[in-house]
């Protein structure tokens, strides 16, 4: 089930909210059942995998909490790490590995063609962080299986994050504040996220796809990549907004996942503002254990490149994601070494332009799996063998101008500074909700021309 | 009072929608979309574990949403007026006229069409003529992306490409088709001695295919039928359930009461429709056509004893062969959109 569907908005969410607030003593059970239903709706079979993985982690962490023998504790942790990464590796990277072995060796091992379990990248990292934190004695192991499974499967963040670490919601799992004000805040945030996804991201996706199909021009290629940059931002941050909003409705305070990344003045800053929960996860569970920046310069470079290689790989089982990770790793290493003094001296505007250019060129790698297509787009953006503009690029620019302007404004911290009287706010949110739902409804509207034509 | 009005309003709105949607009766068919709607899916373990139940339930909720059409209209209004996007659901709305965004040129589709026509001309050695009705969007201004007629004229150099014989006013504002007056203008170019007709307005609220697609329900068209002594006395027979049904008159005014008003002409698209003109003793014409043919055929019927209109999207070519006698003239008449979509034959 997806948040941007009528089934979720009109049926699932209201029914779950009513059950949740009616059955005061069973709130975690209601959330657990709702979450399992939510998950089963998209992946009925893989629910077994989700329950298996969380059950093993629950048992291992319990053992970790009881055990004093350091060797045994390490074994428990190792089993958890191997299981979580093993499942993730098998389902997400299995075919990628086989395909590469085949192409390198000339073998023809059959691909498994297994569908990727929804949310596995997110819940694997969540449960991993939990067992590691129990091992490090930063948190007490959860004693109630229902509470733990509810934490792992909680539907607001199950499918696309943010990666909620157990340590951040440990207390809220047991006791959390419920109020109409929280519900109001949650609903506002959910509507903002939903409208970002439906009104902006989906429109930008259309512009990107349309432009990449047309005859190329410099304007067209730049527009296509800017559209993709806005699409992925509103898609992902919109989903995070919806997750945070839903969390609030159920009394949880989930951490922010985006903080206006496109205003950044360096790549390091961009990654402190983009997918914050993933960055923090890699920092705490990989970068720091590797020594972080408190080691020799060479080792810092090594650590950064490992982290960014794996960050790229986390995004998908394809070479373009690995390349994308290394690409950012390269710029972050450069910013910590050669570019450090230069960036400190140049005006903020130049730093901002530099960051946007690096990010936009990076989205080309991210969005196009095929290297030859990436080269075509790069050449187009640089004006090699294509006109500056053509009839199509001008038309699509004009067609999407208003929505492009709205998207650009919404990607900057502008609106949050505008003070709106509460009465007007009520009307605006209700209108935004209706308009967003109208776009969702219309996306399934498919007149059948055959009858008439 | 604490600031909780947004939550209260949304709770009231969603709860009301939920209750009304549950109460609302399900429809099997959507008149606007002209398709079957998803009904509540069968509950089974197999369906649940395969994910089929979930997909169908999702479709069911979307298809049967009780204010679906109203919300589509809201989306349309926002797209055109707030986002200032000239296109909604692929339909341009320019100065109160709707156009399909047919773009770019589909060279494969055109080649496919030309090959099919060529094959048919080889198959039927009869005297024939090929007429191409330009896509309405070709009359759009330069600021709107569309196929330029000059870019495709060369493909149709052996045929009658009617761009210069028509103007935007010859098309319905809300539909892809020619008005009956527009069809009359085509007819005038096809015969040597066109016969005068009177046009009778039969509807002021025709909302064509584009209205439904763009969900703009404010713009309406007038609809006309033609009348003179010959047309009023034509007889029509069409194939229905493997038997011919005949009646007097080529206009089906009763269809003005249904959603598909355009079927007033020859009762809409049928695999085979025959028009008999007893006032002319000889002459036979076979029209292979898409839906443009139903509006033009009544005018041409004045000059032949028998006209057979065939829609190859609804029947096989082998079946059509039985209806083409060696004496008949043949008119291949297609709209450019059909060609660009390469959907001349099923």
């Amino acid at each position: 089930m997806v948040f941007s569907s009528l089934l979720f908005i009109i049926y699932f969410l209201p029914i779950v909210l009513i059950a949740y607030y009616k059955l005061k003593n069973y709130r975690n059970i209601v959330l657990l059942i709702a979450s399992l239903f939510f998950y089963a709706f998209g992946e009925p079979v893989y629910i077994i995998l989700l329950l298996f993985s969380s059950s093993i982690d629950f048992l291992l962490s319990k053992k970790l909490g009881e055990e004093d023998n350091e060797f045994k504790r390490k074994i428990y942790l190792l089993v958890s790490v191997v299981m979580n990464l093993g499942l993730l590796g098998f389902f997400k990277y299995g075919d990628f590995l086989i395909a590469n072995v085949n192409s390198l060796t000339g073998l023809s091992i059959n691909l498994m063609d297994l569908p990727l379990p929804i949310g596995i990248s997110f819940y694997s990292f969540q449960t991993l962080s939990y067992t590691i934190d129990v091992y490090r004695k930063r948190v007490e192991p959860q004693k109630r299986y229902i509470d733990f499974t509810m934490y792992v499967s909680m539907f607001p963040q199950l499918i696309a994050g943010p990666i909620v670490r157990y340590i951040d919601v440990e207390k809220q799992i047991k006791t959390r504040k419920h109020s109409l004000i929280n519900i109001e805040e949650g609903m506002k945030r959910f509507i903002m996220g939903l409208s970002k996804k439906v009104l902006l991201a989906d429109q930008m996706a259309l512009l990107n796809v349309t432009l990449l199909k047309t005859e190329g021009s410099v304007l067209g290629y730049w527009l296509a990549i800017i559209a993709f940059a806005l699409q992925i931002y509103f898609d992902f941050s919109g989903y995070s907004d919806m997750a945070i909003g839903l969390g609030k409705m159920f009394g949880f305070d989930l951490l922010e996942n985006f903080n206006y990344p496109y205003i950044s003045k360096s790549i390091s800053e961009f990654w402190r503002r983009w997918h914050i929960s993933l960055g923090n996860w890699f920092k705490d569970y990989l970068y720091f254990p590797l020594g972080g920046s408190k080691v020799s310069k060479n080792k810092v470079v090594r650590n950064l490149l490992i982290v960014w290689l794996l960050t790229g790989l986390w995004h998908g089982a394809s070479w373009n994601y690995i390349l994308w990770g290394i690409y950012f790793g390269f710029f972050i290493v450069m910013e910590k070494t050669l570019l450090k003094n230069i960036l400190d001296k140049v005006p903020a505007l130049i730093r901002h332009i530099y960051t946007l250019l690096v990010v936009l060129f990076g989205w080309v790698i991210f969005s196009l799996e095929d290297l030859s297509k990436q080269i075509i787009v790069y050449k187009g953006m640089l004006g090699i063998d294509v006109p500056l503009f053509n009839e199509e690029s001008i038309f699509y620019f004009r067609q999407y101008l208003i929505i492009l302007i709205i998207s650009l404004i919404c990607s900057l911290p502008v609106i949050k500074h505008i003070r709106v009287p509460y009465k007007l706010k009520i009307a605006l949110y209700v209108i935004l909700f209706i308009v967003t739902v109208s776009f969702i409804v219309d996306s399934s509207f498919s007149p059948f021309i055959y009858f008439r034509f | 009072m604490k600031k909780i009005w947004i939550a209260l309003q949304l709770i009231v709105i969603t709860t009301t929608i939920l209750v009304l949607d549950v109460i609302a009766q399900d429809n099997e068919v959507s008149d606007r979309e002209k398709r079957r709607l998803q009904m509540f899916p069968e509950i089974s373990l197999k369906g649940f574990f395969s994910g089929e139940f979930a997909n169908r339930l999702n479709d069911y909720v979307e298809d049967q949403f009780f204010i679906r059409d109203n919300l589509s209209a809201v989306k349309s209004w926002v797209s055109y007026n707030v986002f200032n996007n000239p296109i909604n659901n692929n339909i341009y709305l320019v100065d109160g006229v709707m156009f399909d965004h047919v773009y770019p040129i589909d060279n494969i589709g055109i080649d496919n069409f030309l090959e099919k026509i060529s094959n048919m001309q080889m198959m039927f050695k009869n005297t024939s003529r090929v007429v191409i009705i330009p896509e309405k969007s070709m009359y759009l201004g330069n600021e709107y992306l569309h196929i330029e007629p000059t870019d495709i004229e060369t493909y149709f150099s052996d045929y009658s490409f009617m761009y210069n014989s028509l103007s935007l006013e010859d098309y319905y504002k809300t539909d892809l088709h020619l008005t009956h007056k527009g069809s009359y203008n085509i007819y005038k170019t096809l015969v040597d001695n066109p016969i005068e007709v009177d046009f009778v307005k039969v509807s002021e609220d025709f909302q064509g295919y584009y209205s439904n697609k763009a969900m703009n329900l404010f713009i309406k068209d007038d609809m006309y039928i033609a009348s003179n002594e010959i047309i009023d006395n034509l007889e029509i027979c069409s194939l229905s359930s493997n038997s011919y049904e005949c009646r007097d008159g080529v206009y089906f005014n009763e269809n003005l009461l249904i959603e598909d008003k355009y079927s007033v002409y020859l009762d809409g698209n049928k695999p085979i429709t025959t028009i008999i003109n007893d006032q002319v003793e000889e002459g036979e014409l076979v029209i292979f056509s898409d839906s443009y043919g139903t509006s033009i055929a009544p005018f041409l019927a004045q000059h032949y004893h028998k006209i057979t209109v065939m829609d190859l999207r609804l029947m096989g070519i082998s079946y059509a062969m039985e209806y083409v006698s060696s004496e008949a003239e043949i008119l291949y008449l297609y709209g450019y959109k059909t060609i660009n979509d390469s959907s001349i034959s099923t």
Side-chain angles (χ1 to χ4, degrees):
Chain A
M1 204 182 302
V2 289
F3 295 160
S4 53
S5 69
L6 276 186
L7 186 62
F8 181 84
I9 298 166
I10 305 299
Y11 284 92
F12 182 84
L13 184 57
I15 290 169
V16 173
L17 274 172
I18 290 167
Y20 182 83
Y21 280 96
K22 275 276 170 204
L23 304 168
K24 284 182 185 168
N25 297 326
Y26 305 98
R27 280 177 170 160
N28 281 359
I29 296 177
V30 171
L31 259 187
L32 173 63
I33 293 169
S35 299
L36 293 179
F37 180 81
F38 178 86
Y39 193 81
F41 212 76
E43 288 284 8
V45 178
Y46 284 147
I47 198 162
I48 298 161
L49 190 71
L50 174 76
L51 289 174
F52 168 78
S53 155
S54 40
S55 301
I56 299 289
D57 280 316
F58 176 75
L59 292 172
L60 287 170
S61 60
K62 218 172 167 192
K63 287 275 180 200
L64 272 171
E66 291 162 0
E67 189 59 62
D68 290 328
N69 182 311
E70 192 52 30
F71 178 73
K72 281 186 181 173
R73 294 185 85 239
K74 276 192 175 142
I75 294 290
Y76 292 140
L77 177 66
L78 190 69
V79 172
S80 170
V81 171
V82 169
M83 182 200 64
N84 283 302
L85 293 183
L87 287 176
L88 183 62
F90 179 77
F91 284 101
K92 191 167 178 176
Y93 304 104
D95 276 348
F96 176 62
L97 191 69
I98 292 171
N100 281 290
V101 168
N102 283 349
S103 65
L104 278 175
T105 60
L107 291 170
S108 50
I109 306 166
N110 289 335
L111 296 179
M112 298 183 290
D113 278 333
L114 291 170
L116 181 68
I118 295 170
I120 192 168
S121 308
F122 290 93
Y123 72 70
S124 298
F125 271 39
Q126 286 191 185
T127 47
L128 255 182
S129 73
Y130 168 66
T131 43
I132 294 171
D133 283 346
V134 172
Y135 172 78
R136 289 173 174 173
K137 297 187 176 170
R138 292 177 73 192
V139 291
E140 285 291 314
Q142 175 57 252
K143 290 185 179 65
R144 284 168 52 90
Y145 177 70
I146 286 174
D147 288 357
F148 180 70
T149 319
M150 185 278 289
Y151 152 72
V152 178
S153 64
M154 204 165 66
F155 75 86
Q157 45 77 47
L158 177 62
I159 289 177
I163 299 167
V164 179
R165 288 189 293 182
Y166 183 81
I167 197 168
D168 295 325
V169 289
E170 185 185 9
K171 285 177 189 157
Q172 298 172 44
I173 290 172
K174 210 180 275 176
T175 49
R176 45 191 185 269
K177 255 180 29 189
H178 297 95
S179 68
L180 260 174
I181 291 181
N182 263 356
I183 295 179
E184 163 124 349
E185 286 304 311
M187 283 183 167
K188 278 157 57 181
R189 192 71 189 265
F190 180 80
I191 291 172
M192 285 308 286
L194 188 67
S195 54
K196 272 184 180 179
K197 156 78 184 138
V198 175
L199 301 182
L200 304 180
D202 290 355
Q203 303 299 309
M204 288 297 106
L206 258 177
L207 177 60
N208 170 265
V209 170
T210 309
L211 280 166
L212 288 181
K213 272 193 222 159
T214 59
E215 289 287 317
S217 70
V218 178
L219 175 65
Y221 283 120
W222 276 97
L223 261 183
I225 290 308
I226 290 169
F228 182 79
L230 293 166
Q231 175 204 342
I232 194 166
Y233 170 63
F234 288 121
D235 201 286
F236 202 0
S237 75
Y239 196 96
S240 295
D241 285 343
M242 286 188 266
I244 291 166
L246 288 167
K248 272 210 180 307
M249 291 183 217
F250 295 102
F252 284 94
D253 279 318
L254 305 183
L255 297 179
E256 293 296 332
N257 209 22
F258 287 85
N259 183 21
Y260 300 102
Y262 291 135
I263 62 165
S264 305
K265 294 183 189 71
S266 70
I267 296 304
S268 310
E269 186 188 352
F270 176 81
W271 278 102
R272 286 195 297 274
R273 292 172 174 274
W274 180 278
H275 202 175
I276 298 166
S277 62
L278 181 72
N280 286 345
W281 196 98
F282 271 113
K283 198 167 65 185
D284 288 348
Y285 300 103
L286 186 65
Y287 185 63
F288 288 158
L290 285 171
S293 50
K294 291 175 181 168
V295 285
S296 66
K297 263 190 181 173
N298 286 345
K299 280 189 176 168
V300 172
V301 171
R302 178 206 66 183
N303 294 348
L304 284 170
L305 288 177
I306 289 173
V307 166
W308 285 99
L309 175 86
L310 292 176
T311 301
L313 194 60
W314 182 89
H315 282 84
S318 174
W319 283 107
N320 64 311
Y321 294 117
I322 297 171
L323 188 63
W324 180 73
I326 295 170
Y327 170 86
F328 275 110
F330 168 78
F331 279 100
I332 284 171
V333 167
M334 291 296 282
E335 284 181 5
K336 287 200 181 294
T337 52
L338 297 176
L339 287 175
K340 195 173 186 299
N341 293 331
I342 301 169
L343 280 177
D344 287 346
K345 284 172 196 158
V346 297
L349 180 68
I350 305 289
R351 278 184 280 147
H352 187 56
I353 291 170
Y354 145 78
T355 307
L356 281 180
L357 286 176
V358 171
V359 171
L360 285 175
F361 275 79
W363 288 135
V364 177
I365 306 171
F366 187 92
S367 62
L368 298 165
E369 211 172 297
D370 188 339
L371 183 68
S372 60
K373 284 185 184 157
Q374 290 173 20
I375 292 168
I376 291 171
V377 175
Y378 281 134
K379 282 171 76 177
M381 288 168 83
L382 297 171
I384 300 167
D385 298 336
V386 291
L388 204 54
F389 53 83
N390 56 21
E391 196 188 1
E392 290 168 314
S393 57
I394 288 180
F395 172 77
Y396 289 117
F397 176 60
R398 284 181 44 230
Q399 186 194 344
Y400 283 91
L401 183 61
I402 298 287
I403 203 130
L404 266 168
I405 292 170
I406 295 172
S407 300
L408 287 171
I409 291 170
C410 291
S411 69
L412 305 171
V414 177
I415 291 175
K416 70 173 185 179
H417 295 302
I418 300 171
R419 294 268 164 257
V420 179
Y422 186 70
K423 278 183 185 171
L424 181 60
K425 222 181 231 182
I426 297 172
L428 287 176
Y429 273 104
V430 172
I431 290 169
L432 194 58
F433 177 69
I434 292 169
V435 169
T436 306
V437 171
S438 78
F439 272 68
I440 293 171
V441 168
D442 196 68
S443 65
S444 67
F445 189 78
S446 53
F448 198 50
I449 193 165
Y450 190 78
F451 267 62
R452 287 292 313 277
F453 209 82
Chain B
M1 179 87 182
K2 285 176 180 170
K3 291 184 173 178
I4 52 169
W5 284 105
I6 295 173
L8 291 177
Q9 293 232 15
L10 289 170
I11 288 167
V12 170
I13 289 172
T14 44
T15 312
T16 311
I17 289 174
L18 191 154
V19 171
L20 291 176
D21 198 40
V22 169
I23 295 170
Q25 202 149 25
D26 291 347
N27 297 312
E28 277 190 37
V29 176
S30 162
D31 286 338
R32 288 208 170 279
E33 294 169 77
K34 311 212 167 23
R35 68 174 175 92
R36 288 202 162 275
L37 299 175
Q38 174 69 50
M39 302 304 282
F40 191 84
E42 194 185 327
I43 301 171
S44 71
L45 273 180
K46 193 183 163 199
F48 182 77
F49 282 107
S50 66
E52 201 178 315
F53 176 78
N55 290 335
R56 290 196 173 172
L57 186 64
N58 209 41
D59 291 346
Y60 167 74
V61 171
E62 287 181 348
D63 276 6
Q64 301 292 349
F65 193 43
F66 74 108
I67 43 173
R68 180 178 163 77
D69 288 351
N70 311 59
L71 285 176
S72 285
V74 170
K75 187 255 181 175
S76 165
W77 187 86
V78 172
S79 292
Y80 287 129
N81 299 296
V82 179
F83 292 160
N84 202 30
N85 189 337
I87 301 175
N88 178 45
N89 288 342
N90 223 34
I91 302 294
Y92 279 113
L93 177 59
V94 180
D95 299 330
V97 182
M98 298 174 200
F99 302 81
D100 206 340
H101 180 43
V102 179
Y103 189 87
I105 296 170
D106 180 356
N107 294 310
I108 297 169
I110 294 177
D111 289 342
N112 192 17
F113 172 80
L114 296 177
E115 192 187 333
K116 277 175 182 163
I117 291 292
S118 167
N119 289 342
M120 285 169 73
Q121 285 177 322
M122 278 195 283
M123 194 186 301
F124 306 113
K125 308 283 185 199
N126 312 44
T127 311
S128 69
R129 184 168 181 183
V130 183
V131 171
I132 311 296
I133 309 292
E135 164 55 30
K136 186 175 159 188
S137 58
M138 289 173 186
Y139 296 94
L140 267 168
N142 283 339
E143 63 271 39
Y144 300 102
L145 201 58
H146 63 272
I147 295 172
E148 288 292 343
T150 46
D151 292 340
I152 55 165
E153 268 169 352
T154 48
Y155 286 105
F156 306 125
S157 53
D158 295 338
Y159 305 152
S160 304
F161 180 54
M162 292 292 176
Y163 181 75
N164 292 324
S165 305
L166 294 169
S167 68
L168 185 54
E169 286 68 39
D170 290 319
Y171 293 81
Y172 289 109
K173 286 179 283 186
T174 63
D175 200 71
L176 62 159
H177 293 109
L178 293 169
T179 63
H180 213 34
K181 289 179 180 174
S183 296
Y184 184 73
N185 288 337
I186 294 286
Y187 153 75
K188 284 197 292 187
T189 67
L190 296 179
V191 296
D192 293 333
N193 303 303
I195 301 167
E196 287 291 319
V197 297
D198 296 322
F199 284 99
V200 181
K201 192 193 280 185
V202 287
S203 175
E204 290 182 336
D205 60 354
F206 172 57
Q207 293 184 303
Y209 170 70
Y210 294 163
S211 297
N212 294 334
K213 209 171 171 212
M215 279 311 288
N216 185 308
L217 307 178
F218 303 108
I219 303 167
K220 293 173 181 176
D221 277 296
D222 292 339
M223 204 165 208
Y224 291 86
I225 60 172
S227 174
N228 64 20
E229 209 172 310
I230 306 173
I231 290 178
D232 294 346
N233 289 296
L234 294 172
E235 185 191 350
I236 184 170
C237 299
S238 56
L239 186 62
S240 170
S241 308
N242 291 327
S243 65
Y244 264 118
E245 286 176 7
C246 298
R247 60 172 262 180
D248 292 332
V250 285
Y251 299 111
F252 288 65
N253 287 0
E254 63 271 29
N255 289 353
L256 293 167
L257 300 172
I258 63 173
E259 184 74 26
D260 185 10
K261 288 187 171 59
Y262 187 76
S263 61
V264 70
Y265 306 114
L266 309 194
D267 201 21
N269 296 330
K270 294 273 163 49
I272 301 176
T273 305
T274 307
I275 304 171
I276 303 292
N277 178 2
D278 286 331
Q279 293 162 81
V280 177
E281 288 183 356
E282 54 188 30
E284 188 181 343
L285 175 70
V286 172
I287 304 176
F288 287 107
S289 173
D290 50 20
S291 52
Y292 289 90
T294 61
S295 175
I296 292 172
F299 301 117
L300 293 169
Q302 300 175 100
H303 302 264
Y304 297 88
H305 173 66
K306 182 182 174 188
I307 283 191
T308 307
V309 183
M310 285 193 260
D311 191 334
L312 291 179
R313 296 166 308 165
L314 308 173
M315 63 189 290
I317 184 76
S318 55
Y319 194 62
M321 288 174 77
E322 295 175 26
Y323 292 86
V324 184
S325 69
S326 56
E327 296 82 34
E329 294 171 37
I330 298 180
L331 172 66
Y332 300 95
L333 187 142
Y334 286 95
Y336 179 75
K337 185 175 162 57
T338 307
I339 299 165
N340 212 57
D341 291 348
S342 64
S343 55
I344 180 173
S345 173
T346 44

